[in-house]
mmCIF file of all heavy atoms in Angstrom:
data_model
loop_
_atom_site.group_PDB
_atom_site.id
_atom_site.type_symbol
_atom_site.label_atom_id
_atom_site.label_comp_id
_atom_site.label_asym_id
_atom_site.label_seq_id
_atom_site.Cartn_x
_atom_site.Cartn_y
_atom_site.Cartn_z
ATOM 1 N N LEU Q 82 2.204 3.970 -12.476
ATOM 2 C CA LEU Q 82 0.902 3.645 -12.062
ATOM 3 C C LEU Q 82 0.522 4.300 -10.837
ATOM 4 O O LEU Q 82 1.272 4.136 -9.732
ATOM 5 C CB LEU Q 82 0.578 2.244 -12.108
ATOM 6 C CG LEU Q 82 0.347 1.442 -13.343
ATOM 7 C CD1 LEU Q 82 0.194 -0.108 -13.166
ATOM 8 C CD2 LEU Q 82 -0.852 2.001 -14.052
ATOM 9 N N LEU Q 83 -0.499 5.007 -10.690
ATOM 10 C CA LEU Q 83 -1.097 5.572 -9.515
ATOM 11 C C LEU Q 83 -2.134 4.605 -9.021
ATOM 12 O O LEU Q 83 -2.894 4.046 -9.934
ATOM 13 C CB LEU Q 83 -1.825 6.877 -9.824
ATOM 14 C CG LEU Q 83 -1.048 8.080 -10.553
ATOM 15 C CD1 LEU Q 83 -1.966 9.260 -10.663
ATOM 16 C CD2 LEU Q 83 0.174 8.378 -9.949
ATOM 17 N N PHE Q 84 -2.202 4.365 -7.763
ATOM 18 C CA PHE Q 84 -3.263 3.530 -7.086
ATOM 19 C C PHE Q 84 -3.948 4.260 -6.156
ATOM 20 O O PHE Q 84 -3.338 5.029 -5.204
ATOM 21 C CB PHE Q 84 -2.547 2.429 -6.412
ATOM 22 C CG PHE Q 84 -1.831 1.379 -7.343
ATOM 23 C CD1 PHE Q 84 -0.562 1.720 -7.703
ATOM 24 C CD2 PHE Q 84 -2.519 0.340 -7.819
ATOM 25 C CE1 PHE Q 84 0.140 0.797 -8.586
ATOM 26 C CE2 PHE Q 84 -1.907 -0.527 -8.777
ATOM 27 C CZ PHE Q 84 -0.438 -0.292 -9.128
ATOM 28 N N LEU Q 85 -5.222 4.552 -6.356
ATOM 29 C CA LEU Q 85 -6.092 5.502 -5.613
ATOM 30 C C LEU Q 85 -7.343 4.831 -4.998
ATOM 31 O O LEU Q 85 -7.984 4.120 -5.778
ATOM 32 C CB LEU Q 85 -6.459 6.699 -6.565
ATOM 33 C CG LEU Q 85 -5.339 7.404 -7.305
ATOM 34 C CD1 LEU Q 85 -5.921 8.300 -8.341
ATOM 35 C CD2 LEU Q 85 -4.373 8.008 -6.388
ATOM 36 N N ASP Q 86 -7.622 5.243 -3.853
ATOM 37 C CA ASP Q 86 -8.879 4.667 -3.212
ATOM 38 C C ASP Q 86 -9.997 5.251 -3.860
ATOM 39 O O ASP Q 86 -10.052 6.472 -4.250
ATOM 40 C CB ASP Q 86 -9.002 5.002 -1.714
ATOM 41 C CG ASP Q 86 -8.292 3.939 -0.921
ATOM 42 O OD1 ASP Q 86 -7.772 2.892 -1.405
ATOM 43 O OD2 ASP Q 86 -8.079 4.169 0.410
ATOM 44 N N ASP Q 87 -11.242 4.522 -4.010
ATOM 45 C CA ASP Q 87 -12.249 5.162 -4.876
ATOM 46 C C ASP Q 87 -13.085 6.108 -4.200
ATOM 47 O O ASP Q 87 -13.939 6.756 -4.686
ATOM 48 C CB ASP Q 87 -13.216 3.870 -5.380
ATOM 49 C CG ASP Q 87 -13.871 3.263 -4.233
ATOM 50 O OD1 ASP Q 87 -13.546 3.364 -2.968
ATOM 51 O OD2 ASP Q 87 -15.046 2.554 -4.451
ATOM 52 N N ASP Q 88 -12.817 6.210 -2.893
ATOM 53 C CA ASP Q 88 -13.519 7.440 -2.085
ATOM 54 C C ASP Q 88 -12.524 8.540 -1.782
ATOM 55 O O ASP Q 88 -12.829 9.324 -0.905
ATOM 56 C CB ASP Q 88 -14.205 6.868 -0.858
ATOM 57 C CG ASP Q 88 -13.171 6.130 0.177
ATOM 58 O OD1 ASP Q 88 -12.107 5.678 -0.310
ATOM 59 O OD2 ASP Q 88 -13.583 5.950 1.341
ATOM 60 N N GLY Q 89 -11.416 8.452 -2.515
ATOM 61 C CA GLY Q 89 -10.375 9.644 -2.374
ATOM 62 C C GLY Q 89 -10.546 10.567 -3.430
ATOM 63 O O GLY Q 89 -11.457 10.531 -4.359
ATOM 64 N N LEU Q 90 -9.769 11.699 -3.437
ATOM 65 C CA LEU Q 90 -9.800 12.693 -4.336
ATOM 66 C C LEU Q 90 -8.470 13.443 -4.377
ATOM 67 O O LEU Q 90 -7.931 13.739 -3.314
ATOM 68 C CB LEU Q 90 -10.849 13.787 -3.920
ATOM 69 C CG LEU Q 90 -11.121 14.945 -4.943
ATOM 70 C CD1 LEU Q 90 -12.105 14.578 -6.075
ATOM 71 C CD2 LEU Q 90 -11.920 16.059 -4.217
ATOM 72 N N LEU Q 91 -7.826 13.452 -5.635
ATOM 73 C CA LEU Q 91 -6.634 14.199 -5.760
ATOM 74 C C LEU Q 91 -6.809 15.712 -5.414
ATOM 75 O O LEU Q 91 -7.542 16.270 -6.109
ATOM 76 C CB LEU Q 91 -6.055 13.986 -7.065
ATOM 77 C CG LEU Q 91 -5.449 12.647 -7.332
ATOM 78 C CD1 LEU Q 91 -5.112 12.394 -8.859
ATOM 79 C CD2 LEU Q 91 -4.325 12.154 -6.467
ATOM 80 N N ALA Q 92 -6.075 16.197 -4.460
ATOM 81 C CA ALA Q 92 -6.207 17.523 -3.969
ATOM 82 C C ALA Q 92 -5.860 18.575 -4.990
ATOM 83 O O ALA Q 92 -6.357 19.714 -5.059
ATOM 84 C CB ALA Q 92 -5.592 17.754 -2.625
ATOM 85 N N HIS Q 93 -4.677 18.322 -5.726
ATOM 86 C CA HIS Q 93 -4.038 19.370 -6.644
ATOM 87 C C HIS Q 93 -4.140 18.814 -8.029
ATOM 88 O O HIS Q 93 -4.079 17.559 -8.230
ATOM 89 C CB HIS Q 93 -2.750 19.714 -6.147
ATOM 90 C CG HIS Q 93 -2.703 20.021 -4.656
ATOM 91 N ND1 HIS Q 93 -3.382 21.115 -4.173
ATOM 92 C CD2 HIS Q 93 -2.081 19.387 -3.628
ATOM 93 C CE1 HIS Q 93 -3.154 21.079 -2.783
ATOM 94 N NE2 HIS Q 93 -2.388 20.124 -2.519
ATOM 95 N N HIS Q 94 -3.851 19.680 -9.021
ATOM 96 C CA HIS Q 94 -3.868 19.396 -10.406
ATOM 97 C C HIS Q 94 -2.459 18.919 -10.791
ATOM 98 O O HIS Q 94 -2.369 18.454 -11.983
ATOM 99 C CB HIS Q 94 -4.257 20.593 -11.253
ATOM 100 C CG HIS Q 94 -5.699 20.888 -11.082
ATOM 101 N ND1 HIS Q 94 -6.417 22.051 -11.775
ATOM 102 C CD2 HIS Q 94 -6.820 20.440 -10.314
ATOM 103 C CE1 HIS Q 94 -7.623 22.071 -11.464
ATOM 104 N NE2 HIS Q 94 -7.785 21.190 -10.541
ATOM 105 N N ASP Q 95 -1.427 19.105 -9.914
ATOM 106 C CA ASP Q 95 -0.017 18.812 -10.474
ATOM 107 C C ASP Q 95 0.464 17.602 -9.908
ATOM 108 O O ASP Q 95 1.749 17.220 -10.104
ATOM 109 C CB ASP Q 95 0.821 19.883 -10.065
ATOM 110 C CG ASP Q 95 0.935 20.129 -8.547
ATOM 111 O OD1 ASP Q 95 0.099 19.516 -7.776
ATOM 112 O OD2 ASP Q 95 1.877 20.960 -7.991
ATOM 113 N N THR Q 96 -0.334 16.687 -9.383
ATOM 114 C CA THR Q 96 0.128 15.506 -8.705
ATOM 115 C C THR Q 96 0.893 14.319 -9.731
ATOM 116 O O THR Q 96 1.924 14.047 -9.548
ATOM 117 C CB THR Q 96 -0.859 14.725 -8.021
ATOM 118 O OG1 THR Q 96 -1.489 15.469 -6.976
ATOM 119 C CG2 THR Q 96 -0.296 13.420 -7.301
ATOM 120 N N ALA Q 97 0.197 14.213 -10.956
ATOM 121 C CA ALA Q 97 0.758 13.466 -11.986
ATOM 122 C C ALA Q 97 2.158 14.041 -12.492
ATOM 123 O O ALA Q 97 3.036 13.405 -12.712
ATOM 124 C CB ALA Q 97 -0.107 13.275 -13.109
ATOM 125 N N GLU Q 98 2.154 15.368 -12.447
ATOM 126 C CA GLU Q 98 3.423 16.030 -13.098
ATOM 127 C C GLU Q 98 4.515 15.916 -12.056
ATOM 128 O O GLU Q 98 5.677 15.659 -12.353
ATOM 129 C CB GLU Q 98 3.141 17.482 -13.425
ATOM 130 C CG GLU Q 98 2.456 17.785 -14.710
ATOM 131 C CD GLU Q 98 3.319 17.510 -15.990
ATOM 132 O OE1 GLU Q 98 3.520 16.324 -16.271
ATOM 133 O OE2 GLU Q 98 4.001 18.526 -16.411
ATOM 134 N N LEU Q 99 4.174 16.128 -10.824
ATOM 135 C CA LEU Q 99 5.171 15.835 -9.739
ATOM 136 C C LEU Q 99 5.712 14.388 -9.718
ATOM 137 O O LEU Q 99 6.991 14.188 -9.395
ATOM 138 C CB LEU Q 99 4.477 16.107 -8.319
ATOM 139 C CG LEU Q 99 4.218 17.613 -8.029
ATOM 140 C CD1 LEU Q 99 3.469 17.838 -6.752
ATOM 141 C CD2 LEU Q 99 5.525 18.454 -7.955
ATOM 142 N N CYS Q 100 4.874 13.421 -9.952
ATOM 143 C CA CYS Q 100 5.294 12.127 -10.108
ATOM 144 C C CYS Q 100 6.213 11.873 -11.245
ATOM 145 O O CYS Q 100 7.324 11.260 -11.098
ATOM 146 C CB CYS Q 100 4.132 11.131 -10.200
ATOM 147 S SG CYS Q 100 3.095 10.810 -8.839
ATOM 148 N N ARG Q 101 5.829 12.442 -12.338
ATOM 149 C CA ARG Q 101 6.825 12.385 -13.536
ATOM 150 C C ARG Q 101 8.168 12.859 -13.174
ATOM 151 O O ARG Q 101 9.241 12.373 -13.575
ATOM 152 C CB ARG Q 101 6.204 13.053 -14.697
ATOM 153 C CG ARG Q 101 4.916 12.454 -15.349
ATOM 154 C CD ARG Q 101 4.536 13.175 -16.615
ATOM 155 N NE ARG Q 101 3.238 12.655 -17.177
ATOM 156 C CZ ARG Q 101 2.063 13.154 -16.969
ATOM 157 N NH1 ARG Q 101 1.904 14.216 -16.228
ATOM 158 N NH2 ARG Q 101 1.018 12.390 -17.481
ATOM 159 N N GLU Q 102 8.165 14.101 -12.571
ATOM 160 C CA GLU Q 102 9.362 14.865 -12.140
ATOM 161 C C GLU Q 102 10.170 14.006 -11.223
ATOM 162 O O GLU Q 102 11.480 13.743 -11.289
ATOM 163 C CB GLU Q 102 9.066 16.169 -11.630
ATOM 164 C CG GLU Q 102 10.331 16.915 -11.227
ATOM 165 C CD GLU Q 102 9.984 18.229 -10.363
ATOM 166 O OE1 GLU Q 102 8.764 18.561 -10.340
ATOM 167 O OE2 GLU Q 102 10.981 18.888 -9.977
ATOM 168 N N ALA Q 103 9.530 13.343 -10.193
ATOM 169 C CA ALA Q 103 10.156 12.567 -9.032
ATOM 170 C C ALA Q 103 10.940 11.367 -9.764
ATOM 171 O O ALA Q 103 12.047 11.108 -9.368
ATOM 172 C CB ALA Q 103 9.232 12.198 -8.049
ATOM 173 N N PHE Q 104 10.154 10.625 -10.530
ATOM 174 C CA PHE Q 104 10.695 9.376 -11.100
ATOM 175 C C PHE Q 104 11.784 9.676 -12.200
ATOM 176 O O PHE Q 104 12.715 8.878 -12.257
ATOM 177 C CB PHE Q 104 9.645 8.612 -11.650
ATOM 178 C CG PHE Q 104 8.742 7.899 -10.608
ATOM 179 C CD1 PHE Q 104 7.514 8.276 -10.420
ATOM 180 C CD2 PHE Q 104 9.292 6.891 -9.835
ATOM 181 C CE1 PHE Q 104 6.651 7.632 -9.398
ATOM 182 C CE2 PHE Q 104 8.603 6.231 -8.679
ATOM 183 C CZ PHE Q 104 7.241 6.528 -8.713
ATOM 184 N N SER Q 105 11.671 10.833 -12.938
ATOM 185 C CA SER Q 105 12.608 11.094 -14.010
ATOM 186 C C SER Q 105 13.908 11.517 -13.306
ATOM 187 O O SER Q 105 14.975 11.206 -13.804
ATOM 188 C CB SER Q 105 11.987 12.289 -14.853
ATOM 189 O OG SER Q 105 10.869 11.866 -15.507
ATOM 190 N N THR Q 106 13.810 12.238 -12.258
ATOM 191 C CA THR Q 106 15.083 12.798 -11.716
ATOM 192 C C THR Q 106 15.821 11.940 -10.727
ATOM 193 O O THR Q 106 16.898 12.043 -10.466
ATOM 194 C CB THR Q 106 14.904 14.122 -10.937
ATOM 195 O OG1 THR Q 106 13.783 13.914 -9.890
ATOM 196 C CG2 THR Q 106 14.305 15.201 -11.830
ATOM 197 N N ASP Q 107 15.112 10.887 -10.264
ATOM 198 C CA ASP Q 107 15.754 9.885 -9.354
ATOM 199 C C ASP Q 107 15.533 8.558 -9.990
ATOM 200 O O ASP Q 107 14.475 7.804 -9.774
ATOM 201 C CB ASP Q 107 15.009 9.985 -7.940
ATOM 202 C CG ASP Q 107 15.749 9.105 -6.969
ATOM 203 O OD1 ASP Q 107 16.671 8.245 -7.411
ATOM 204 O OD2 ASP Q 107 15.399 9.244 -5.769
ATOM 205 N N PRO Q 108 16.545 8.011 -10.626
ATOM 206 C CA PRO Q 108 16.386 6.712 -11.382
ATOM 207 C C PRO Q 108 16.300 5.469 -10.317
ATOM 208 O O PRO Q 108 15.771 4.406 -10.807
ATOM 209 C CB PRO Q 108 17.665 6.566 -12.146
ATOM 210 C CG PRO Q 108 18.626 7.424 -11.527
ATOM 211 C CD PRO Q 108 17.796 8.557 -10.919
ATOM 212 N N LYS Q 109 16.627 5.719 -8.963
ATOM 213 C CA LYS Q 109 16.385 4.557 -8.074
ATOM 214 C C LYS Q 109 15.087 4.705 -7.394
ATOM 215 O O LYS Q 109 14.774 3.828 -6.518
ATOM 216 C CB LYS Q 109 17.599 4.560 -7.222
ATOM 217 C CG LYS Q 109 18.945 4.267 -7.727
ATOM 218 C CD LYS Q 109 18.873 2.977 -8.746
ATOM 219 C CE LYS Q 109 18.675 1.733 -7.868
ATOM 220 N NZ LYS Q 109 18.527 0.510 -8.737
#
Side-chain angles (χ1 to χ4, degrees):
L82 276 176
L83 311 181
F84 295 88
L85 307 170
D86 277 350
D87 69 341
D88 56 344
L90 185 76
L91 288 173
H93 309 300
H94 294 180
D95 63 351
T96 302
E98 283 288 84
L99 288 173
C100 286
R101 291 186 183 99
E102 179 185 0
F104 287 111
S105 295
T106 57
D107 186 351
K109 295 309 294 179

